[in-house]
Amino acid sequence: MKNMTCEQAREFLAAREMKLPFEPEAAHACEQHLAGCESCRRVLLEGRELSELLAASLAPYAEGAEELAERIAIDLPARRAAPSYWRSQVFRFDAAAAALLFGAGLFVGWWFRPAPPPAGAPGPVAPAATVAPQLIGSSGTLAHELLPRDRVRTSERRRFIIVNPVAPDVILEVDRQAEFEDRLELPDGAGAGDVPVE
Amino acid sequence: MDDMIHDASTAQCPTDLLAAARAGDRLAMSRLIEAELPWVRAVVAGYVQASENVDDICQEVFIAVWQSLHRLRSPAGFKAWIYRIAVNKVRSFYRRAGRRSSVELSADLQAGDGREALERSSRRESVLAALKKMPPKYRDPLVIHYLRGKSCDETAEILGLRPVTCRIRLLRGRSRLEDLLRKDGAL
């Protein structure tokens, strides 16, 4: 290393002062620099002073440490019992089982997810939360008869939303009356009339 | 049998002491506290406002170490683990007390005997005050390194840093401290 700058020399001096690792050839280059640089020689002296000052300032924290250590050791409370091997294994098993069940639940939910509507089909109609089971009417009741108008979206009003009295929580949606009668398997004439909703 | 193996009276190296302390040997624990307390004390002092709180926080640190020593996975990370506990204890101390850390000089350093001692004491106060003004990432390496002349590798081990990172922080920290002391007229 040749022609060390003042900045490089000062970094080297600080590293040497702190006993940090440095390249051997840097020491020689720094000595050469110091020979011709008065301000860096001053930095060298200040650096030594700083190290001494810093060590002296921190020394009180080491003084009397034995006494304090003894006091702390005497006052140490009884140690909490470490969990036994079997307890920790049971806990691990519980956690693993819970994680497995959660994962299985997610998978089942994904597997039985509703099929997406075919391209060009109207958007989804009233979700279960909108057509609440307690609003169940007779077979073939139309959406606008069951629900307040503001609770039925436009797309839903164009379609039939019906409930099956045999299984009231099953809410069917159809586009035409014939289709709805087929799906409900109602006897002829038992369904609602093909009354437009709007 | 286990207690016989991990007996503090025969345990000499830190690893043996640690194993004995983990097994519940209080004598081994007291030796570990004695070995680690100085730097923990100095690190904690860098964060806290009043010096009388330093020893209380240190006690909390070593109680926590004692209580959860069985949970320490790697004995090699023992010192870094203590360091993290110490910093967390300082934080929880201030959370409990609803206080903020600020610069307050320790009473023992304010006392001086004669002009020379006063001047020396005043310069030490300036160093401690300047250290407290520095960010912990630069202050803590300096404190640990200078307290008992720990090597860069040992300092890095305590702080859980790579040696090269520790070297950079030590150099930058020292340079910052120098600037602060020059501004203060202490250097």
Side-chain angles (χ1 to χ4, degrees), chain B residues 158-178:
Chain B
I158 290 174
L159 295 168
L161 297 172
R162 287 187 306 145
V164 65
T165 311
C166 188
R167 184 183 196 275
I168 291 168
R169 289 195 186 174
L170 278 168
L171 285 170
R172 287 190 186 157
R174 188 183 153 103
S175 165
R176 281 190 183 210
L177 182 68
E178 228 173 309

Side-chain angles (χ1 to χ4, degrees), chain A residues 15 32 34 38 43 47 59 75 77 106-107 138 148 150 174 180 182 188-189:
Chain A
Q32 278 187 330
L34 284 176
E38 200 189 326
V43 168
D75 291 343
L106 283 179
F107 176 75
S138 63
D150 59 347
V174 290
F180 117 65
D182 285 349
D188 286 343

Side-chain angles (χ1 to χ4, degrees), chain B residues 84-102:
Chain B
R84 284 197 303 274
I85 291 178
V87 173
N88 285 336
K89 286 290 170 193
V90 171
R91 282 190 191 135
S92 58
F93 173 79
Y94 279 105
R95 233 185 348 254
R96 273 201 314 270
R99 277 172 281 188
R100 279 182 165 190
S101 170
S102 69

Side-chain angles (χ1 to χ4, degrees), chain A residues 51-120:
Chain A
S51 293
E52 285 166 14
L53 192 57
L54 198 47
S57 307
L58 295 168
Y61 297 117
E63 288 164 12
E66 293 87 357
E67 207 179 299
L68 178 62
E70 199 182 317
R71 218 168 55 231
I72 293 173
I74 290 169
D75 291 343
L76 282 177
R79 182 183 274 177
R80 286 190 293 262
S84 71
Y85 174 79
W86 286 112
R87 260 176 65 194
S88 63
Q89 292 308 304
V90 166
F91 174 76
R92 277 186 190 179
F93 175 76
D94 284 354
L100 202 65
L101 281 173
F102 181 72
L106 283 179
F107 176 75
V108 168
W110 172 79
W111 187 261
F112 291 104
R113 71 193 184 282

Side-chain angles (χ1 to χ4, degrees), chain B residues 66-77:
Chain B
W66 170 248
Q67 294 281 26
S68 35
L69 202 52
H70 60 271
R71 271 185 263 158
L72 177 67
R73 285 181 189 169
S74 154

Side-chain angles (χ1 to χ4, degrees), chain B residues 25-53:
Chain B
D25 186 330
R26 281 173 177 263
L27 183 57
M29 185 62 199
S30 78
R31 287 192 188 170
L32 281 178
I33 295 174
E34 206 176 302
E36 311 302 334
L37 182 63
W39 69 261
V40 173
R41 214 178 180 194
V43 165
V44 168
Y47 288 86
V48 301
Q49 182 181 359
S51 58
E52 64 262 25
N53 295 325

Side-chain angles (χ1 to χ4, degrees), chain A residues 6 9 30 33 40-41 51 59 61 77 82 90 99 112 147 150 159 171-172 182-183 188 193:
Chain A
C6 283
C30 184
H33 179 87
C40 283
R41 282 202 298 274
S51 293
Y61 297 117
V90 166
F112 291 104
L147 299 170
D150 59 347
R159 309 181 78 200
I171 297 164
L172 300 176
D182 285 349
R183 289 183 67 179
D188 286 343

Side-chain angles (χ1 to χ4, degrees), chain B residues 8-175:
Chain B
S9 58
T10 53
Q12 289 303 317
C13 82
T15 321
D16 288 349
L17 280 178
L18 189 56
R22 283 180 76 149
D25 186 330
R26 281 173 177 263
L27 183 57
M29 185 62 199
S30 78
R31 287 192 188 170
L32 281 178
I33 295 174
E34 206 176 302
E36 311 302 334
L37 182 63
W39 69 261
V40 173
R41 214 178 180 194
V43 165
V44 168
Y47 288 86
V48 301
Q49 182 181 359
S51 58
E52 64 262 25
N53 295 325
V54 173
D55 291 354
D56 290 343
I57 296 173
C58 286
Q59 184 168 20
E60 285 184 27
V61 170
F62 285 104
I63 288 175
V65 168
W66 170 248
Q67 294 281 26
S68 35
L69 202 52
H70 60 271
R71 271 185 263 158
L72 177 67
R73 285 181 189 169
S74 154
F78 177 59
K79 290 182 182 182
W81 182 62
I82 298 182
Y83 174 73
R84 284 197 303 274
I85 291 178
V87 173
N88 285 336
K89 286 290 170 193
V90 171
R91 282 190 191 135
S92 58
F93 173 79
Y94 279 105
R95 233 185 348 254
R96 273 201 314 270
R99 277 172 281 188
R100 279 182 165 190
S101 170
S102 69
V103 176
E104 187 181 286
L105 306 173
S106 57
D108 52 338
L109 291 173
Q110 282 173 12
D113 191 16
R115 195 201 285 176
E116 198 184 317
L118 203 67
E119 193 192 327
R120 205 168 47 233
S121 167
S122 163
R123 291 184 77 196
R124 288 178 188 173
E125 285 170 15
S126 300
V127 172
L128 293 177
L131 279 172
K132 288 190 183 193
K133 283 182 198 167
M134 288 171 60
K137 75 173 189 175
Y138 294 124
R139 182 185 59 222
D140 292 351
L142 275 184
V143 164
I144 293 166
H145 179 76
Y146 273 101
L147 186 70
R148 278 198 172 167
K150 287 198 185 294
S151 70
C152 181
D153 286 358
E154 279 176 299
T155 308
E157 185 198 327
I158 290 174
L159 295 168
L161 297 172
R162 287 187 306 145
V164 65
T165 311
C166 188
R167 184 183 196 275
I168 291 168
R169 289 195 186 174
L170 278 168
L171 285 170
R172 287 190 186 157
R174 188 183 153 103
S175 165

